[in-house]
Amino acid sequence: MIKTVGWYRGKVKVIDQTQLPEKLIYLNLSTLKEVGEAISSLKVRGAPAIGLTAALGVALQMNLSSAKNYSEFRKEVEATIKYLSTRRPTAVNLFWGLKRMEKVLVRCKPVGGRIHPTRGLDKSSPYKGSSYINRLKRILLNEALLMIEEDDEICRRIGENGASLIKDDCKILTHCNAGGLATAGFGTALGVIFTAKEQGKRLRVYVDETRPLLQGARLTTWELKKYKIETILICDNMAGLIMRQKRIDLVIVGADRIAANGDTANKIGTYSLAVLARAHKIPFYIAAPSSSFDLKIKNGEKIPIEERAEKEITCPFGKRIAPAGIKVYNPAFDVTPSWLISGIITEKGVIHPPFQKNIQELFA
Ligand code: MRU
């Protein structure tokens, strides 16, 4: 299993995903700015991985803090959260991760000069009995590390819940990367595929290359190859043809944000796949943890969609392919309306239509 994000000797350790598949390089991020840059430049990417890295970013920044009391410490945490929350707008997991860090700190608000409760401090913690501020630092770090551990368990459960939908000899199409690299290490949509493989099912996975940043071609194929799963790379515009040729039994992708009615934002191109899947009567599944749901948002129209630099389209990977000065539109995500979705696979179970009602019930 990959370890996408972790804590190593006081630094945030991540895989630099922009270097894959040629090189597997780990970065040790030592400042908040480095963490912020790693997120916005997609060195770390994928909704859950972004949330986990941001949480560790808060722990990193506060580890360096020289705040003298709770209120100074809290102000610094708030400023850190504000900065990190501007790094990418669409994946709700970023805000979820930061909110959790804020919440644990709020719970540690001193009562009568003492931390209350001492949650997050294990018995063997070297910080036990150390200064008040050091204990706060440890509590934040422990929370971020706990989130990483939990992500792993959650992805395993998504895998088990989703694998029951995959029959032996299944031919699957996926888009972008919703694998170990997009989470702490196991993946959501790919987690389902890995689990089906572990169950001994024979699989063939078609992978969209995923223009413009090629997460499918560079990352998903790399992961599937490691798992020894038969993998066929296609250009995004080939999906319709292979569906018509009856080469696909099921489509499964991840999510960056799911609204209360099931409308789902995911990598640009996902919506087109869902339309194609419906036209060819192929089931279309989303796999995502509960941290990808944003129940405050009624439907997909309200999901903020990130627009990225023009050069990602005109000069992919440093090579100019379009005339200088050409106008460009580069949204990084699109929204698939829930009526095109067959089911949403979560760690709590598979949600089927009617989504509005079933999502509400699942989170009640
Ligand atoms: O721009 P990216 O690479 O961060 O986009 C990632 C995706 O769209 C993934 O499908 C999504 O985050 C789900 S990851 C489990």
Side-chain angles (χ1 to χ4, degrees), residues 42 45-48 88 176-178 182 188 215 254-256 266-267 333:
L42 271 64
R45 47 141 305 279
R88 293 194 77 188
C176 193
N177 173 268
T188 57
Q215 290 91 332
D256 283 83
N266 190 51
K267 179 53 56 193
F333 301 94

Side-chain angles (χ1 to χ4, degrees), residues 63-78:
N63 204 30
L64 306 172
S65 166
S66 46
K68 290 186 191 54
N69 53 44
Y70 178 84
S71 102
E72 272 182 42
F73 192 85
R74 179 133 173 220
K75 265 194 200 131
E76 274 183 45
V77 169
E78 275 161 15

Side-chain angles (χ1 to χ4, degrees), residues 1-2 20-21 166 170-181 185-198 201-210 215-234 252:
M1 215 183 93
I2 311 160
L20 285 169
I166 296 184
C170 194
K171 297 177 286 302
I172 303 166
L173 174 61
T174 191
H175 188 68
C176 193
N177 173 268
L181 291 165
F186 191 61
T188 57
L190 290 197
V192 170
I193 294 172
F194 297 150
T195 309
K197 163 83 176 173
E198 282 165 13
K201 292 173 185 163
R202 288 164 300 163
L203 309 170
R204 174 183 293 167
V205 182
Y206 286 85
V207 178
D208 273 352
E209 59 178 358
T210 318
Q215 290 91 332
R218 296 186 299 106
L219 310 175
T220 298
T221 54
W222 183 78
E223 288 197 43
L224 290 167
K225 198 161 170 256
K226 263 166 117 41
Y227 257 85
K228 300 193 174 21
I229 292 173
E230 186 185 349
T231 303
I232 299 175
L233 176 64
I234 58 165
I252 182 164

